[in-house]
Amino acid sequence: MDFSGKIRFAPSPTGYLHEGHLLSALYVWAAARKWNLHIHLRIEDHDRGRTREAYIQGIREDLAWMGFIPHSESIQSERQDIYRAVMERLDAAGLTYPCTCSRKQLEAENPRSETGEIIYQGKCQALDIHQASALPHNTRFKVTDKLINWQDYRLGAFSENPARQCGDFPLMDREGCYTYQLCVCTDDLEQGITHIVRGEDIINSTARQIALSETLCQVASGIGHIPREHVRPLYLHHPLIVDPSGKKLSKRELAHSIRQDKEAGYRPEELLGRVLFKAGFIPKQDSIALEDAIGRIVNTL
Ligand code: GLU
Ligand code: ZN
């Protein structure tokens, strides 16, 4: 089969899949149906401290049990050489620096954006690089102070400046793990992702990912399949499941897993019905087959 592009479903194996993941998967599979896309499962185990092997296996099994069958799969822990090569290019281009600030210092010394994020003011850029590298440190990307104009397929136009949202952001953490931002930008470029469909909770990352991706094309093209020109993917940030009072789901509600429901004897159709009901797609909590559930969402795209 010939596809017109490639989309990814990118869960982090820091827990078992829950209802939020199911809604995301439904959107990804719906987008794939609408635009005829290859579906890539990308297991985002970049944070080694929070990853568990059981969750990785659990994600594969629970997706298969629900009927979500991707066309290909990758896992970030097996792509360390690519991230290292990308990081070396960024370092060589003078676009990174070590930051020795502790969490406490970051909180005390920097302002916060409207969304509550710390806007790092670049303190460690002035440190002696050799001295700083000898101390515990993360490695930050120097962002350019400029507006990024981008379009969300569902939510319309955004005009955001990463320098005012977060400032220079980490590409490698203190433990030596490549961060979400570095891995996701590298992978989306290297794997030829044309459509990014994910929850609204990550929308703030989009402008900085566009900035980093453009830079990667300039300095890291030729590593794997990283291209010379950045062709922006289509972005679609989907709504999240909220509780009946309109608030985001609590940690406890999110900890309730597909696996627990499976063990309690629920069928996939029942879980899909519950998720679609909670997300406001159907008026009653009826069972619904996967094909129909995907179809419901396709109709809203
Ligand atoms: N791994 C991220 C998460 O589970 C999603 C990353 C993305 O879609 O960009 O929240
Ligand atoms: Zn610092």
Side-chain angles (χ1 to χ4, degrees):
M1 175 149 173
D2 259 357
F3 294 106
S4 322
K6 193 171 181 183
I7 193 167
R8 81 294 198 287
F9 178 60
S12 301
T14 55
Y16 289 113
L17 294 183
H18 54 62
E19 286 180 334
H21 293 110
L22 275 196
L23 183 62
S24 243
L26 282 171
Y27 267 97
V28 166
W29 263 258
R33 187 182 294 177
K34 180 176 170 78
W35 288 298
N36 181 35
L37 308 172
H38 173 112
I39 302 171
H40 182 72
L41 169 63
R42 186 162 74 217
I43 302 201
E44 301 212 318
D45 61 341
H46 54 86
D47 185 342
R48 289 195 294 268
R50 294 175 61 212
T51 293
R52 298 281 172 277
E53 189 55 41
Y55 298 144
I56 297 175
Q57 213 30 48
I59 288 172
R60 296 186 180 118
E61 287 168 12
D62 295 344
L63 282 177
W65 179 71
M66 291 297 304
F68 291 109
I69 312 294
H71 300 107
S72 58
E73 183 192 310
S74 64
I75 180 157
Q76 289 178 330
S77 52
E78 289 175 6
R79 295 172 56 76
Q80 297 298 305
D81 292 350
I82 294 185
Y83 307 137
R84 190 171 310 114
V86 163
M87 195 71 176
E88 281 169 8
R89 296 277 190 96
L90 289 166
D91 290 343
L95 294 169
T96 63
Y97 61 91
C99 163
T100 58
C101 296
S102 64
R103 171 108 314 250
K104 248 193 170 150
Q105 279 175 307
L106 290 176
E107 306 248 358
E109 296 169 0
N110 299 284
R112 284 186 186 260
S113 69
E114 308 94 88
T115 60
E117 260 192 286
I118 287 173
I119 311 172
Y120 184 65
Q121 300 294 292
K123 177 179 176 185
C124 293
Q125 231 194 110
L127 290 186
D128 177 80
I129 191 164
H130 297 291
Q131 276 174 0
S133 306
L135 297 167
H137 65 274
N138 62 27
T139 304
R140 291 184 183 264
F141 174 60
K142 292 183 192 169
V143 299
T144 307
D145 188 353
K146 76 163 194 204
L147 275 181
I148 308 271
N149 298 307
W150 66 277
Q151 196 72 27
D152 183 87
Y153 182 80
R154 199 181 128 247
L155 300 167
F158 286 79
S159 190
E160 297 171 322
N161 183 348
R164 306 199 170 205
Q165 290 182 300
C166 59
D168 297 341
F169 58 86
L171 301 177
M172 183 185 265
D173 69 20
R174 280 180 169 237
E175 281 68 50
C177 292
Y178 297 106
T179 62
Y180 162 61
Q181 304 297 357
L182 192 267
C183 296
V184 87
C185 291
T186 300
D187 285 351
D188 285 339
L189 288 170
E190 207 279 322
Q191 296 173 334
I193 301 298
T194 57
H195 291 65
I196 295 183
V197 172
R198 60 187 177 192
E200 270 179 14
D201 53 336
I202 323 183
I203 200 160
N204 286 336
S205 281
T206 306
R208 73 198 70 161
Q209 288 177 4
I210 290 172
L212 178 56
S213 301
E214 285 174 354
T215 301
L216 292 184
C217 289
Q218 285 160 14
V219 305
S221 66
I223 295 175
H225 296 100
I226 296 178
R228 215 171 273 281
E229 289 293 329
H230 183 43
V231 179
R232 287 215 194 148
L234 176 147
Y235 288 101
L236 189 166
H237 291 86
H238 65 74
L240 305 176
I241 299 179
V242 291
D243 74 10
S245 68
K247 286 206 310 276
K248 267 171 80 167
L249 291 191
S250 67
K251 282 241 162 65
R252 193 175 55 81
E253 285 164 307
L254 286 176
H256 177 95
S257 66
I258 306 304
R259 185 150 283 240
Q260 285 169 309
D261 288 327
K262 176 165 77 173
E263 280 157 12
Y266 287 97
R267 303 297 313 142
E269 301 78 39
E270 293 174 289
L271 301 193
L272 291 169
R274 196 171 74 204
V275 166
L276 285 188
F277 172 69
K278 287 192 183 178
F281 287 101
I282 54 177
K284 267 189 25 243
Q285 197 175 313
D286 290 330
S287 293
I288 182 163
L290 181 59
E291 288 302 296
D292 299 335
I294 294 170
R296 289 277 178 158
I297 298 200
V298 173
N299 290 338
T300 70
L301 297 181

